[in-house]
Amino acid sequence: MTSATEAYDIVVVGGGTAGCFAATTAAREGLDVVLLERKSEENGGYIACGDGIKGKSSFPDVLDRERLKDEAFTNQGIERAVFENPETEETIEIPFNETGGVVDRWKYGQILLEETARAGVDIHYNTVVNDVVQPNGTVQGVTAVRDGDPLEYGAEVVIDAAGALSVLQDKADLSASTFDTNVNYSQFCSAYREVLEIPEPVEWDDALVFKPTEELGYLWYFPRSATEINAGLGFQMTEEPMELVDVLKNDIANRAEFADATVKNKLGAALPTRRPYDSAVHPGYVAVGDAAGHVNPCTGGGIPGAAKAAHWAAQVAVDAISDGDVSEAALWEYNQRVQTDFGKRFAAMDLYNIFGTAHDLGELVSVVTAIPGQQLVDAIGKKGTAEMSFGLKLKTVMKTFGHWRTLYELYKVQDAAGSLKDVYDSYPDSPGHFDAWKAERDALMDQVYDITGASPKY
């Protein structure tokens, strides 16, 4: 069957956070944009997610943020994180410096798609993208099947928001650019979550609760409300496979507050727990969100990064199309924006994941629970590193007797994280200087592998 062809300025693949923010940004600049979503309109926005967001002010102002807050944020009073020690049952409480929230992810996704359509974007549901159109090295569109019919979508720029391990990156020939293809399953996390309805309200409806597990993972309990809890578990794919459902159910069964809980829905997914792609641009093609590794590698949080990156990608693509130049160099500013913003923090946080692969759970818990709460949240939160006074360091040393070698390694990794952020601050402003930057970054990574004894991740 011969496929029909439709032409747009920009084709966005995927209707999640990244896809909606990219498409809306471009449409509001007057471009002709189509968003291709494989799900039906009814199921659009329904994905596996922890639902927790630390702070709500970082969304780009291109769609109705007040509507999102009022209708999708079911809990707007998250003020702290609670880390549970699985061995001693002790907890560490860490206050947030800004109030966060928990969303109903399906409702959130539905609102994003409605707001995207309201901005003038054509949304084609039930559309499965299966290849790129790339006649001369430059990506010029995609092929898809919509409601059983083959279609070709032509575009000046394709924005890949198709999620982790995007099929477009398997299909495209990216060898003529610096686009990061050093991607494999071991850099990802497998996750599973259930939404629980419980008869009595929890006492911690103002907290995001985390509990470390074996296989370099963690359980989470995020309150959508005092009686509706997003309960989930993820583990790093570098480790031995974990029976996600069984581990989660066993922990739930041992928590008194979840007695008589009913499961409203359940879903699994894979997500990147790695640094952002070194480069996410190729002539005519830009990757955003999970498709470019824009996820906090320690917590798995990906909504804010996806929204910001997609907004920047669309802005840069709009300018490139206006100039009649969609080359790698013309799209490069997007890379620089990402890497000198949250990219440097995520790259620094990834060092703690690498450190974790070289130690067992008991060692990690003993050291982490000895670190003062604010320093811990600085390390895995917005800063990516943590500063400690001499007095706090001394107290931490005393509390980690028997694990001093591990603590020393952690301090060395912390120093490396600070140096790595400096390297990312000097991310090049053009592809011509990329190889030199990458060599500097990789030399620092080699030092981290030497310090930790961990196997290279990239």
Side-chain angles (χ1 to χ4, degrees):
M1 184 183 296
T2 302
S3 61
T5 300
E6 299 190 18
Y8 290 86
D9 295 320
I10 292 180
V11 169
V12 178
V13 181
T17 297
C20 287
F21 273 93
T24 301
T25 299
R28 291 201 181 281
E29 292 294 328
L31 270 67
D32 196 11
V33 183
V34 65
L35 185 151
L36 309 181
E37 169 55 48
R38 63 183 177 83
K39 298 186 181 74
S40 66
E41 185 171 1
E42 179 183 4
N43 291 324
Y46 180 59
I47 64 171
C49 182
D51 297 344
I53 300 176
K54 183 180 178 291
K56 306 183 289 294
S57 61
S58 58
F59 288 128
D61 189 15
V62 293
L63 48 75
D64 193 340
R65 293 185 297 184
E66 287 303 309
R67 183 187 177 201
L68 268 182
K69 184 180 72 172
D70 293 342
E71 298 182 28
F73 281 77
T74 58
N75 183 346
Q76 297 186 45
I78 300 298
E79 298 180 346
R80 60 193 174 113
V82 175
F83 288 83
E84 298 183 348
N85 185 328
E87 299 184 348
T88 67
E89 298 186 358
E90 296 175 316
T91 61
I92 302 174
E93 294 196 13
I94 302 173
F96 290 161
N97 55 12
E98 62 175 320
T99 302
V102 182
V103 301
D104 178 324
R105 185 59 183 80
W106 177 75
K107 187 176 294 184
Y108 163 90
Q110 286 274 298
I111 292 171
L112 283 184
L113 288 163
E114 290 170 9
E115 290 294 311
T116 299
R118 195 159 68 91
V121 176
D122 290 343
I123 302 180
H124 291 185
Y125 293 98
N126 301 307
T127 303
V128 179
V129 175
N130 51 34
D131 208 344
V132 297
V133 177
Q134 191 180 13
N136 59 0
T138 298
V139 174
Q140 297 180 10
V142 299
T143 60
V145 176
R146 183 185 184 195
D147 293 325
D149 296 325
L151 283 170
E152 180 176 307
Y153 292 86
E156 297 292 325
V157 172
V158 171
I159 297 181
D160 180 0
L165 299 170
S166 166
V167 66
L168 298 184
Q169 291 167 34
D170 290 335
K171 297 295 186 178
D173 179 1
L174 303 169
S175 60
S177 69
T178 62
F179 192 97
D180 194 344
T181 57
N182 185 16
V183 181
N184 62 68
Y185 79 95
S186 67
Q187 301 160 3
F188 288 72
C189 171
S190 181
Y192 169 79
R193 72 101 176 96
E194 298 180 348
V195 176
L196 307 178
E197 188 74 47
I198 56 178
E200 298 294 330
V202 295
E203 296 178 353
W204 39 268
D205 62 328
D206 64 337
L208 302 180
V209 178
F210 300 86
K211 182 179 180 179
T213 68
E214 300 285 354
E215 286 78 35
L216 198 59
Y218 69 88
L219 291 148
W220 71 76
Y221 297 103
F222 295 171
R224 287 184 171 184
S225 72
T227 57
E228 186 178 81
I229 312 299
N230 182 312
L233 169 63
F235 79 96
Q236 196 71 24
M237 291 186 185
T238 51
E239 310 303 306
E240 290 298 319
M242 176 191 288
E243 297 295 333
L244 293 176
V245 178
D246 291 343
V247 173
L248 178 62
K249 287 188 178 298
N250 288 340
D251 198 72
I252 290 172
N254 289 320
R255 304 177 79 98
E257 66 264 46
F258 294 149
D260 301 319
T262 57
V263 179
K264 293 181 65 176
N265 62 64
K266 48 193 175 183
L267 203 61
L271 67 155
T273 44
R274 51 156 291 154
R275 67 193 181 204
Y277 284 16
D278 291 348
S279 170
V281 301
H282 175 88
Y285 179 79
V286 183
V288 295
D290 284 16
H294 295 158
V295 173
N296 183 317
C298 289
T299 68
I303 290 176
K308 291 174 71 174
H311 179 58
W312 294 332
Q315 288 180 322
V316 171
V318 167
D319 289 342
I321 292 170
S322 176
D323 293 340
D325 178 6
V326 296
S327 65
E328 179 183 23
L331 298 171
W332 191 263
E333 182 187 344
Y334 162 66
N335 278 340
Q336 191 176 34
R337 289 194 195 183
V338 169
Q339 301 294 16
T340 57
D341 191 86
F342 67 81
K344 65 182 178 185
R345 297 197 305 272
F346 287 4
M349 292 174 206
D350 188 45
L351 300 190
Y352 298 105
N353 275 350
I354 292 169
F355 165 78
T357 63
H359 298 278
D360 63 32
L361 179 64
E363 279 186 305
L364 293 174
V365 169
S366 295
V367 171
V368 169
T369 55
I371 297 173
Q374 189 55 55
Q375 280 65 41
L376 181 62
V377 80
D378 284 348
I380 66 172
K382 287 194 171 182
K383 295 183 179 180
T385 56
E387 295 296 329
M388 293 176 64
S389 67
F390 176 76
L392 286 177
K393 287 181 178 179
L394 185 60
K395 288 181 181 178
T396 304
V397 167
M398 296 302 293
K399 290 174 68 176
T400 54
F401 180 78
H403 299 281
W404 287 349
R405 181 181 179 86
T406 304
L407 180 64
Y408 177 70
E409 286 182 14
L410 182 58
Y411 284 144
K412 297 285 283 184
V413 169
Q414 178 185 313
D415 288 342
S419 298
L420 188 63
K421 289 177 71 176
D422 291 340
V423 172
Y424 273 74
D425 274 330
S426 64
Y427 188 88
D429 59 6
S430 70
H433 299 95
F434 177 73
D435 287 344
W437 174 84
K438 191 167 177 286
E440 182 183 8
R441 192 275 314 277
D442 289 349
L444 183 56
M445 292 299 298
D446 287 342
Q447 294 177 29
V448 172
Y449 296 131
D450 288 341
I451 291 166
T452 62
S455 299
K457 187 172 181 176
Y458 304 99

